[in-house]
Amino acid sequence: MLLTLDLDSEVPIYQQIRDRIVEAIADGVLAEGDPLPSTRQLGADLAINFHTVNKAYDLLRTQGFIRINRKTGAVVRRDATSGPVEDGYADEWQERLRTLLAEAVALGVGPREVTSRCEAVLDSFAVSARR
């Protein structure tokens, strides 16, 4: 799995790892049941501490994107084709979306631009194109 990180970014490395994996799931690069590298392997591949990868994996696990098992390691738990979203997730997601949109509005991004950019991002995911 190829992940691109920006070591100079203000976004913590564990968050970047989490975000790239979620994007890979949304884009169909990773599907339900696909294994992820071990924390030690991914840490070595990225030349970062494996504890940083562990923090990203734990976040992915608590958010329901992966499951972690001693025998199988980290595996993608679900993808866009896995069926309906779990109860309560849409409300939780909407709260995070509200904050992100508030940032855009506070910085002067207009509603049309927000909508246009949202549509462009959704269209960029391969999974969206298959629906």
Side-chain angles (χ1 to χ4, degrees):
M1 172 176 31
L2 179 66
L3 297 177
T4 304
L5 303 178
D6 180 358
L7 301 180
D8 295 325
S9 172
E10 292 183 18
V11 177
I13 295 172
Y14 77 89
Q15 184 69 44
Q16 291 183 54
I17 294 168
R18 178 255 181 223
D19 293 348
R20 297 303 82 79
I21 291 173
V22 171
E23 290 166 4
I25 294 169
D27 202 29
V29 174
L30 290 173
E32 181 178 354
D34 284 351
L36 298 176
S38 72
T39 56
R40 290 187 188 276
Q41 182 61 55
L42 189 54
D45 291 348
L46 298 172
I48 60 172
N49 190 302
F50 78 92
H51 290 294
T52 303
V53 178
N54 192 50
K55 190 171 182 176
Y57 279 18
D58 190 51
L59 186 57
L60 288 161
R61 182 190 57 77
T62 59
Q63 293 174 337
F65 291 104
I66 66 172
R67 66 179 181 274
I68 300 174
N69 181 304
R70 286 187 182 263
K71 292 181 182 180
T72 60
V75 176
V76 175
R77 183 170 170 253
R78 59 177 292 122
D79 61 25
T81 64
S82 298
V85 68
E86 295 175 2
D87 288 342
Y89 177 77
D91 293 334
E92 182 182 314
W93 174 81
Q94 186 172 342
E95 285 302 312
R96 293 195 326 261
L97 176 62
R98 180 177 172 75
T99 301
L100 188 60
L101 291 173
E103 290 174 15
V105 170
L107 293 172
V109 180
R112 284 193 179 102
E113 184 176 356
V114 167
T115 302
S116 171
R117 288 178 180 264
C118 286
E119 288 174 353
V121 169
L122 283 172
D123 290 345
S124 74
F125 295 125
V127 173
S128 297
R130 290 187 288 218
R131 290 185 173 189

